[in-house]
Each structure stands twice: as C-alpha cells, then as structure tokens.
Amino acid sequence: MHTRDLSDHSPYVPGRGDEEVARELGIDPAELITLSSNENPHGASPDAVEAIREGAESISVYPKSSHADLIAALAEEWGLADEQVWLSAGADGSIDYLSRAMLEPDDRILIPDPGFAYYGMSARYHHGEVATYDLDPADDFEQTAESILDAYAGERMIYVTSPHNPSGSVMDLSEVRLLAEATAEETLVVVDEAYGEFAETPSAVELFEERDDVAVLRTFSKAYGLAGLRVGYALVPENWADAYARVNTPFAASELACRAALAALADDEHVERSIESARWGREYVREHVDAPTVESAGNFVLIEVGDAESVTEALQHEGIIVRDCTSFGLPEHVRVTTGTREETRAAVEAINDVLARLEPGVSA
C-alpha cells in the first residue's frame, strides 16, 4: 500500500519557533526573540482573547451562526455580497478552494519564484501543473505585468503576491489591471494580500467593479494577530461566488476562530497599532542594519547577509530567531519580522554584531 506519487511536491518550510530553538540550545524560550514567521509582536486584540474565553463553552456546537456572522461582517467591510466571501482555515484553505473551483486535471497555474510554496502544492494536489515566473533580486523583486506576461502561456490561474513574501515588494493596482486585461478570458488572476494591511497601495478588490477574472486572498494571521487560529478568506467576483458551497470544507473555521475574528475585525485601534509598528520597524531595519535590504511593504525586511545559514545559526546563539531564506531559493538572504521597538532594535544590533564577526562564506 502506497500513496500516489508525491515527488513533485516540495514541503512547506515554516520559520523556526522559540520552543524548537530553545530545546536545541537548552535554554528558556523566554530568552529568545522570535522574528521568523511574520507574526504580530503585539499579539491578538484583547477583545479577541476575551471572545475566545466567552465562547469556550460553545465548542460542542458547529459554528453555524458565527460562521455566517463573520462572513457577513467581512462582506460589509469590503462592500461585497456575503456570497463573495469564501471563509477558510487560513488563506491556504482559500487557495485550495480556488484550486477546486478552477482547475481541471492538467490545467496549469503560474506562480512567482521565489514565492509561497503552497500555491504550487495546492495545484498539484488537485492534479494541476505548475509554471513559474521569476522575481529578480537584482531588481528588488519588482513586480510588473510585463515580467509576468513574458512567462505566461495561457495558464488557468496566475498568483500575484502583494506585498510579496519574502521580499516585501508590491504590484501596483494599475499593473494588476494590465495583467488581467492581457490574459485570456478564462485566466484567473489571484492577488494574495496576506500582508495587505501593512501596505499603502489599494486592494485589488477595487477591480471587482470592472472585472470578473480577479480574486483576492486575505488573512487574520498577520495584522490581526490570529495566526494560531487559522482564519483566512478569499474575495471573489459576484458572478461565480456561488461555487463556494460546492468546494468548501463544511464549517472550515472553528467556533472560537470565528468569534475571535469578529472581535478582532471590530478592534480598529489594535490593527492600527500593529500597522504603525510594522511600518516603523521595517524603516528602522533598513536604516540601521549593516547590509543591503529590499524596500518592504510588509511586516518584515529581506536582508542580504552572504551566508544565510551561518548568520541564522549565529543569531540563534544571540537569542534572535530569523528566517533563513534558503528554502525560498535565496541562500544569501534572511528575512526579519518587525517586532516591538525593543525587539527590532535588539535584532538589528545582533545582526550587525554577527555580520561584523563572520566573513562571507565562513561557517558560524
């Protein structure tokens, strides 16, 4: 008895957590600053935490009303019909829903390289094929319609990540529009805006008034600080929104996740604080770190350090966990999440100290 052939699937490699590293180093996790997974350093809204406490006794019941309530709140937030909100367990759940809704066997998708591994994984799970377009470090991972169209060959779906992970670059709305206009009628452009709250560019949802071939991904994991609850959603054009009922996982988001997300959505002050903190942090890193960086619109900064593995390992011994970007195909780069002001300053100081000690290519 064997599984089907999964050799084309590249496992998703998450950022290392404090407990994992603490066990390895034999220290208390509290001694570590974890800036490896783009989590919100301010945590979740206190209102979301309270909603979980208040809802704890209801976990024996399927999340019927809370699921509907969260969809309705998100629809109101974006000025869309309820049917245009596809709620899911994390944004990756929405990626699966789009794969189910759009892909026939052997259909191809076009994804960025480097980029989020799950785009391709989901397509392959659904018997699709994957092609890539390159984002060039030499051009600060610039995203344009022209560069994507150079690689386009009629794929059924194109993924755009804006802000892009791990670089933080954005694709202007005008470029998304050009891309959608230049591709075939049956090509869906999916704009992943997981970090959209931190950017100053408008959402691609604005294109819904004029197009039915653009979808948007969003999440509560980043600016809202609910990464541990796995709540995400897709926003889709109205004329094919009813496909959700045919492709979704029943009650994909749990009762507590829905209640917490509703509370987080209503706490504008917490979200604004998180956004302001991230914008301060990414500018601080770029201004003070002694290495080349990429301008970022996310809650992280990509830094060229020469030998990412050595620098990452050395930083762990300094109590700082960052993301080695070798799994993205960028072995000379690390990605640093913006922390609190104190954490961000400490991380920059440690990075500069490590870079001063290590020569390029020398193991820690």
Side-chain angles (χ1 to χ4, degrees):
M1 183 67 182
H2 300 283
T3 66
R4 66 185 177 96
D5 183 8
L6 299 173
S7 58
D8 286 339
H9 294 256
S10 299
Y12 172 69
V13 181
R16 303 194 74 193
D18 53 4
E19 293 187 4
E20 175 189 2
V21 173
R23 283 195 300 269
E24 185 178 292
L25 298 179
I27 62 175
D28 187 334
E31 298 178 37
L32 294 166
I33 295 174
T34 304
L35 304 176
S36 55
S37 296
N38 298 341
E39 295 152 337
N40 190 325
H42 305 289
S45 161
D47 294 344
V49 175
E50 183 59 28
I52 291 173
R53 291 195 182 100
E54 291 180 355
E57 293 185 2
S58 66
I59 59 174
S60 62
V61 179
Y62 287 113
K64 300 173 185 175
S65 61
S66 63
H67 205 270
D69 290 347
L70 180 54
I71 287 175
L74 288 168
E76 182 177 1
E77 179 82 5
W78 290 101
L80 302 173
D82 289 8
E83 293 76 19
Q84 293 178 262
V85 179
W86 290 12
L87 192 62
S88 59
D92 42 309
S94 288
I95 292 170
D96 280 338
Y97 293 164
L98 291 174
S99 294
R100 295 174 192 176
M102 295 293 158
L103 298 180
E104 299 283 359
D106 300 324
D107 277 351
R108 284 164 41 113
I109 70 168
L110 185 61
I111 64 175
D113 183 20
F116 185 33
Y118 200 73
Y119 302 147
M121 292 169 69
S122 179
R124 292 187 178 103
Y125 292 153
H126 296 87
H127 305 284
E129 298 181 358
V130 180
T132 61
Y133 61 90
D134 292 333
L135 297 181
D136 190 350
D139 294 329
D140 286 342
F141 302 88
E142 182 183 20
Q143 301 189 70
T144 65
E146 181 180 6
S147 62
I148 298 174
L149 290 168
D150 283 344
Y152 174 68
E155 283 80 5
R156 182 71 161 111
M157 299 168 66
I158 299 174
Y159 279 92
V160 171
T161 315
S162 183
H164 173 255
N165 181 25
S167 74
S169 70
V170 295
M171 188 169 187
D172 289 339
L173 188 60
S174 61
E175 292 293 320
V176 177
R177 180 183 285 107
L178 287 173
L179 178 63
E181 289 175 348
T183 51
E185 183 177 344
E186 293 302 312
T187 294
L188 175 68
V189 177
V190 183
V191 185
D192 185 345
E193 297 178 351
Y195 301 95
E197 287 84 2
F198 304 110
E200 298 181 49
T201 52
S203 170
V205 171
E206 291 190 11
L207 298 179
F208 285 13
E209 294 183 3
E210 59 190 81
R211 310 198 62 84
D212 65 356
D213 55 358
V214 175
V216 170
L217 300 175
R218 286 269 170 162
T219 183
F220 282 89
S221 294
K222 310 304 180 183
Y224 291 94
L226 301 183
L229 289 180
R230 314 302 303 123
V231 193
Y233 57 100
L235 301 171
V236 305
E238 191 168 11
N239 64 344
W240 49 273
D242 62 355
Y244 180 56
R246 303 176 187 275
V247 299
N248 73 325
T249 302
F251 309 121
S254 73
E255 172 72 12
L256 296 185
C258 289
R259 292 301 176 197
L262 278 163
L265 190 64
D267 190 349
D268 293 335
E269 183 178 345
H270 183 77
V271 174
E272 287 303 317
R273 177 191 179 202
S274 300
I275 292 170
E276 186 279 331
S277 177
R279 290 177 178 175
W280 176 89
R282 69 198 187 201
E283 292 308 313
Y284 183 88
V285 173
R286 295 196 70 220
E287 289 175 6
H288 293 88
V289 77
D290 295 334
T293 62
V294 179
E295 184 174 358
S296 173
N299 66 337
F300 55 86
V301 178
L302 188 68
I303 306 173
E304 185 177 350
V305 294
D307 184 342
E309 182 179 3
S310 293
V311 170
T312 301
E313 182 179 349
L315 284 170
Q316 287 174 179
H317 289 278
E318 299 294 325
I320 308 292
I321 308 175
V322 301
R323 180 66 181 267
D324 175 354
C325 287
T326 299
S327 63
F328 286 99
L330 299 170
E332 297 183 347
H333 293 76
V334 298
R335 190 194 65 198
V336 181
T337 306
T338 57
T340 63
R341 295 197 178 203
E342 180 181 18
E343 291 171 339
T344 301
R345 291 188 180 104
V348 169
E349 182 178 358
I351 292 168
N352 289 342
D353 287 345
V354 166
L355 292 176
R357 291 201 314 266
L358 293 178
E359 296 180 8
V362 177
S363 177

